[in-house]
Every structure is written in structure tokens, then in C-alpha cells.
Amino acid sequence: MAKLHISRFTTRILMGWCVFLFVILLALGFSHMITPHVISLHALTLDSWLASVLMGLRVIVLFLVFSTIPMRWPITLLSFISLTIAVVAIYQFITVLMTGNFLVMLAYLVFVGAFLALLYTAILMASDIIEHNHWEKGGGYFKNWGLSLLSNVRQYSLPLLISLVVFSVALPLTNSVTF
């Protein structure tokens, strides 16, 4: 997690939370106290694709907005919330595995992978924006943030675009998504 500029203690807390949540979800799922959402294949329509692109862009924009704060804890808090959503998606994949439908498993695995890639790239980009924003030098905070944003968008545009496109195709295939 050194690339994300997250301390070892914070990394342990985040990983511990993910493991704890996953164990709780497994215990609740296998004791039939919760029933996971049934995943099936859906038709890819323009409406569902546009809605999923909008969802992916919201994630990216949320991390960019939080990168305007010159501290790491807002990004860490967003990472905590995003990892919670990712753990639930991974738990859902286990229930999809149990159904035995290969196409649904493959489509949902692509969705989970694209979602994790989108989150990782957004977290990495926001962390680098904060790291390379030399706000203490003067010259206007938002000017320095904008310059840092432009250089990082150039650096991360290809991984963001690929993960967003794969996410926006895989999500409507496995979930019903509308505006």
C-alpha cells in the first residue's frame, strides 16, 4: 500500500475490517439470516449502459472532489466505504458461484474485477493528486490542485477509461440498472 501513501497501521485497519466484514457476511449467509440478491444476466440497453457509466463517473468525481482537501483522511474514509462495498460484491460472487451458471459467474467476475480496478485507480489518482499538490508553496491552492489534477489525469486516463468501460458494460449485464 506504499503506492497509495497509506500508513501500515491504516492498511492493517482496512484489511482487518475487510476480513471481519467478509466473515460476518459468510456467517450470516450460511445461517440463512440474510439472502443475497439473485444475479442473472440482463440485456445490455443504452439506458442501462448510460446509467452504469454515470455510476462509475460518480465514483471518480467523488474521489476527485475529496482530493481538494489537503489531507489523507478523507481519501482513507472513502477507501474504507468503497472497500466495504467491494467486500459485499465479493461475498455476492460466492453466492453466484454456488448457482453454477458459468456465464453469470464470468460476467459477475468481470464486474467485480472492473469495480475493484476502478476503485483502485480512483484511490491511487486522488492520493497522487494530494501528494503532488504543492499547496504550501503558495500561488493559489486551487491552481496547484488543478495542475496536479491535470498531470494525474494524463497519467491515469488509460486505466481509468478501461476500467470504466469494462465496469459500465459488466454492471448492466449482471444487475438491472436504470436512472
Side-chain angles (χ1 to χ4, degrees), residues 48-69:
S48 64
W49 182 76
L50 288 174
S52 62
V53 167
L54 186 61
M55 290 172 92
L57 287 175
R58 284 180 192 157
V59 169
I60 295 168
V61 168
L62 186 65
F63 276 98
L64 291 179
V65 166
F66 272 67
S67 73
T68 59
I69 303 170

Side-chain angles (χ1 to χ4, degrees), residues 101-116:
N101 189 343
F102 180 73
L103 287 175
V104 174
M105 285 188 289
L106 183 63
Y108 198 74
L109 181 64
V110 169
F111 160 68
V112 170
F115 180 62
L116 291 174

Side-chain angles (χ1 to χ4, degrees), residues 2-6 67 69-72 75 123-136 141 144-145 148 151-152 156:
K3 198 171 190 180
L4 294 176
H5 309 289
I6 297 175
S67 73
I69 303 170
M71 294 176 262
R72 295 224 181 275
I75 299 299
I123 292 168
L124 189 61
M125 185 173 71
S127 182
D128 279 354
I129 288 172
I130 292 171
E131 182 72 23
H132 297 116
N133 183 359
H134 303 290
W135 59 275
E136 66 276 350
Y141 176 74
N144 292 336
W145 177 81
S148 179
S151 68
N152 282 299
Y156 294 108

